[in-house]
Amino acid sequence: MKFETIIGLEVHAQMLTNTKIFCGCSSLFGAEPNTQTCQVCTGMPGVLPVLNKKALEYAIMTGLAMGCTISSHSRFARKNYFYPDLPKGYQISQYELPICEQGHIEISVDGEVRKIGITRIHMEEDAGKNIHEGTGKYSLVDLNRTGVPLMEIVSEPDMRSPKEAAEYMKKLRAILRYLDVCDGNMEQGSLRCDANVSVRPAGQKALGIRTEVKNINSFKFVEKAIDYERKRQIDVIKTGGQVQQETRLWNSAKAVTESMRSKEEAHDYRYFPEPDLGPIMVGREWIEEIRTRLPELPDAKRERFVSAYGLPEQDADILIGDRPVAAWFERSVAAGGQPKAVSNWMMVELMRLLNEENRSIETCLLRPEQLAGMLTLIDNGTISGKIAKKVFAEMYKTGKDAEAIVKDKGLVQISDQSAIEKAVEDVIAHNPNEVERFRAGEEKLIGFFVGQVMKKTKGKANPTIVNELLKKKLIDVI
Ligand code: ADP
Ligand code: MG
Ligand code: ZN
């Protein structure tokens, strides 16, 4: 029997506002515990929340970017539950009337474009943080995060494979970062994802019973956790069992999902409209004004990178994944870099070096104009492609111009015929065995000779001239 996997994601995104959603406390990450709190966000009696307009604006921006309908009339609701990191005993969230509904995101997997529905986007407040490690008999509570504005973005059960889910997360993150409404950092928890997963026999219409997998805190784990979970469910069904509706946790150390609570143990949140906050009325003019301020979004940028710069789709896809990367590319091209060459150097050398250091392109010493400068040196024959790699690494390390590095290190390409000829003759004279084998028909030895000449000239000889001269000399003597 063949099975189809069905996935719907619930994503929480911390908004990049300066202050919290219902009070004026700073929402900056990383402060001393409990230094960013007040009566409102610690849930003291008798205080009233006031909605942060910026948080509302960010939610609307996100909704517009995902093609949602923005509700002219929405409201907050209380979600009641007890937990030590939730001082009020309830979370202010949205329930029956969210701010955004019915949008979609396009993803492309293996060359196929798929439209993934967005059911809703709603605003809510974050909870505090319990700290259990290194505290002995006690647990500690840090309320700095309490009241930090979140968006919850809920998708339709439209994804069909772990890879699609990962692509969806990547696109979602890219859009949030383009809009500058969330930093998208999964490791630090500013972007979190719960995956709802079910399987059904191929051809069946009705959806299977789903489980919800929590605690997925990296892109790699989105794919792994869902893949594990779908295989587990298929196994259960194939061995005659039934999938239980439950919440499971992804255990990244063991690479498995583990049961956390069953349907019977599920919370009853006793939602009701939040009496301390009035309805949210959003006028059409404001929505349209926000729309005019939306930046160019990833899909539009990809199309432009293909049509305006003639890049292959795959290049464009990678470059537009992150807004600063795309901006870096455009600056380098604006400085005279040939688009495909800039793209190649970025995707191969630059990304590798950045990954090695786990550094973001924004803090990179190498400037896009400097890459364009190096490309000019390759084009006019000053340096070879091989030497360029060295120059590039040095530029990356020091932030110096290519020209200065080439001068300082004496890396100028040798195109002088007689200098190369001397090296070629030396190599031929010192390797009589190889010469004989080459002449006996072992043509692939040409690579060996080129290598020797390059070694002799410290990689600086112009490879085209080396090849020409070698062939001429090796055959000449016959
Ligand atoms: P809850 O709020 O209890 O988690 P929702 O009905 O809001 O429930 O659904 C949450 C998520 O689960 C949505 O992203 C939805 O697409 C997804 N989902 C619903 N049914 C299924 C299913 N059978 N298989 C996979 N995902 C599902
Ligand atoms: Mg859920
Ligand atoms: Zn506060």
Side-chain angles (χ1 to χ4, degrees), residues 6-10 119 152 154-158 196-198 207-210 212:
I6 312 284
I7 303 152
L9 298 184
E10 294 166 272
T119 317
E152 178 170 341
V154 182
S155 86
E156 290 290 306
D158 284 349
N196 294 270
V197 182
S198 66
L207 294 180
I209 293 173
R210 73 177 150 119
E212 181 171 342

Side-chain angles (χ1 to χ4, degrees), residues 45-65:
V47 295
L48 287 173
V50 177
L51 176 61
N52 181 338
K53 190 175 176 187
K54 205 77 195 172
L56 176 59
E57 184 180 326
Y58 283 1
I60 294 173
M61 279 172 79
T62 308
L64 290 174

Side-chain angles (χ1 to χ4, degrees), residues 4 32 39 81 85 190 223 330 334 343 367 400 458:
E4 185 179 36
E32 278 291 296
Q39 295 89 331
Y81 66 93
D85 65 8
S190 36
E223 225 167 321
E330 292 208 273
S343 166
R367 280 172 291 115
K400 281 193 197 152
K458 301 204 170 64

Side-chain angles (χ1 to χ4, degrees), residues 171-348:
K171 184 54 85 58
L172 189 80
R173 176 175 186 268
I175 294 172
L176 295 172
R177 283 174 54 88
Y178 270 56
L179 296 172
D180 213 10
V181 296
C182 170
D183 67 20
N185 191 326
M186 284 194 86
E187 280 76 14
Q188 272 181 20
S190 36
L191 189 66
R192 302 167 224 157
C193 156
D194 299 337
N196 294 270
V197 182
S198 66
V199 298
R200 65 180 172 193
Q204 179 183 305
K205 266 252 152 68
L207 294 180
I209 293 173
R210 73 177 150 119
T211 61
E212 181 171 342
V213 183
K214 291 189 177 282
N215 201 32
I216 303 174
N217 60 0
S218 87
F219 275 98
K220 206 171 63 196
F221 295 155
V222 174
E223 225 167 321
K224 283 196 170 166
I226 296 173
D227 196 45
Y228 176 88
E229 184 56 19
R230 65 172 255 275
K231 284 185 183 140
R232 187 192 67 82
Q233 292 184 14
I234 291 171
D235 247 25
V236 168
I237 295 171
K238 276 191 171 162
T239 52
Q242 246 190 353
V243 174
Q244 301 300 314
Q245 187 175 338
E246 61 181 353
T247 304
R248 300 178 67 87
L249 282 185
W250 167 247
N251 180 331
S252 58
K254 293 192 198 154
V256 299
T257 65
E258 294 165 339
S259 182
M260 178 183 159
R261 60 170 178 255
S262 67
K263 193 182 174 189
E264 286 73 37
E265 298 161 289
H267 294 132
D268 173 5
Y269 293 118
R270 294 167 291 129
Y271 278 101
F272 61 84
E274 169 57 60
D276 288 346
L277 285 158
I280 308 157
M281 318 285 277
V282 179
R284 284 294 120 192
E285 307 89 81
W286 192 38
I287 295 174
E288 289 317 310
E289 187 271 323
I290 292 173
R291 197 193 300 276
T292 62
R293 283 190 282 120
L294 291 182
E296 181 183 42
L297 291 165
D299 287 342
K301 203 182 283 289
R302 192 193 45 232
E303 265 174 44
R304 187 166 60 80
F305 274 24
V306 171
S307 61
Y309 299 122
L311 288 181
E313 295 264 353
Q314 302 91 294
D315 289 44
D317 252 345
I318 293 173
L319 294 175
I320 59 101
D322 213 12
R323 195 178 176 182
V325 173
W328 205 100
F329 167 81
E330 292 208 273
R331 267 176 60 189
S332 190
V333 172
Q338 195 272 326
K340 181 59 182 152
V342 172
S343 166
N344 287 348
W345 281 94
M346 285 182 74
M347 294 199 306
V348 182

Side-chain angles (χ1 to χ4, degrees), residues 20 23-25 36-42:
K20 295 187 179 181
C23 63
C25 291
Q36 297 176 166
T37 59
C38 71
Q39 295 89 331
V40 174
C41 56
T42 56

